[in-house]
Amino acid sequence: MRRLSTMLAAALLVTGLSVLSPAAAESPLHPGGPCLQENQNVSRSSVAGYADVVQELARIERTSHGRVEVDSAGTSGEGRDLQYATVGDGPKTVWLQGRIHGNELHSTEALLQILDLLASGNPDAKQIREELTVIVIPMYNPDGAEANIRQSTTPNRIDLNRDFENFAQVETVAFWKLWRDLAPELVLDLHHMSEAPVVEGTNELNQFQIGARSIDPSRMTAEQWLTNRQMAMVSVDALAEYGPVNIAHYPLIDITNAGLSRMLMSGTAPAGEEPVAGTPTKGAIFYEVRSVGQKSNGQLENLFRIPTMALLNAVADGSLSSYDVSGYDDLPFAERGTCGPGF
């Protein structure tokens, strides 16, 4: 079995270079990042697969003293359970999802760590459980995760983060129904960025991008746009205290068929279902964390876990609703690299 990072594994994701020919050896290579190099050997042995997630969720539920309940939203195209966990019984529901893109690896492990913490006797965890109901989906796309591809696998390869209008895949239908039934007020989606950008106007390698707008603000209510910026600034400020992360804005986008977009807008539904009248979701943002070139899994997981826990604490203690967003417009953008698309 793979060793999970919830057990503080510190194995390298990128393990080194294969033997190069003399001609190749003369070319400039940068093992360790920021992009995968030609002939580079990549190991996923320390990253949680589907079976590991099932086992880890069962362990957390079993040892949580009744604080965590694990359930399934349905089954994937290949028949895997779409597992999620519920922790807390507070009046506000917060939805945390990871690995909607199957090859974005470390969001799964970070969410398992977060769930483990929320089930503990930690004072912050206790307050969160009292004030919030937290839904944790560590592996939204288990078939894509097992295949290590961005999309689903069957009956078609479809980006599940572009399927909240057509509902072509069973995973999207299952999670739409769960969203409808649980009515989360806030949603956070964890991603990796595949490109290798630097902060605009600098040579600083960008480690974390904040996405407060999957759709143009004109498509949101004033409350949603304010809440999204408050969620963003809580996250940014938490990471700013962590260290030199070189934070940037995610590029401005307006993608109406993405999951977060339709949670904010509603108006669509799978065949045979009625659209949600008046979305319950007041805020929905996403994180983009670097995916290659790090020296340990732990660094990647910290970049997910630290801002997520800060956000949960801010919702639980009530400070989110008055959080200062004046610094939002000052956040720099990044100059995009060449390793591929993100969100």
Side-chain angles (χ1 to χ4, degrees), residues 26-42:
E26 295 172 1
S27 63
L29 291 175
H30 303 283
C35 302
L36 292 177
Q37 304 294 304
E38 186 178 358
N39 298 320
Q40 192 160 348
N41 176 40
V42 177

Side-chain angles (χ1 to χ4, degrees), residues 206-289:
N206 173 221
Q207 307 288 341
F208 179 93
Q209 291 184 7
I210 191 71
R213 41 163 294 168
S214 58
I215 48 173
D216 189 86
S218 64
R219 300 180 185 271
M220 304 182 206
T221 67
E223 180 184 27
Q224 287 174 331
W225 180 224
L226 175 59
T227 302
N228 275 17
R229 286 176 291 160
Q230 289 170 328
M231 293 171 72
M233 291 310 298
V234 166
S235 306
V236 164
D237 289 347
L239 277 181
E241 294 180 4
Y242 171 60
V245 178
N246 303 326
I247 297 165
H249 259 296
Y250 192 79
L252 302 183
I253 55 175
D254 187 21
I255 302 174
T256 64
N257 58 356
L260 298 192
S261 303
R262 280 299 165 184
M263 289 177 178
L264 289 166
M265 298 168 67
S266 192
T268 59
E273 303 288 345
E274 292 294 324
V276 174
T279 176
T281 303
K282 297 178 180 178
I285 70 169
F286 60 96
Y287 299 160
E288 297 268 349
V289 167

Side-chain angles (χ1 to χ4, degrees), residues 34-94:
C35 302
L36 292 177
Q37 304 294 304
E38 186 178 358
N39 298 320
Q40 192 160 348
N41 176 40
V42 177
S43 171
R44 293 186 291 128
S45 62
S46 66
V47 178
Y50 173 74
D52 299 318
V53 171
V54 171
Q55 180 175 330
E56 190 69 357
L57 285 174
R59 179 195 66 79
I60 294 172
E61 181 181 39
R62 185 177 64 253
T63 60
S64 71
H65 305 287
R67 295 166 179 159
V68 172
E69 181 178 345
V70 176
D71 207 338
S72 173
T75 55
S76 69
E78 294 185 9
R80 296 181 174 92
D81 277 329
L82 300 173
Q83 290 200 322
Y84 69 96
T86 304
V87 58
D89 54 6
K92 291 185 178 180
T93 299
V94 180

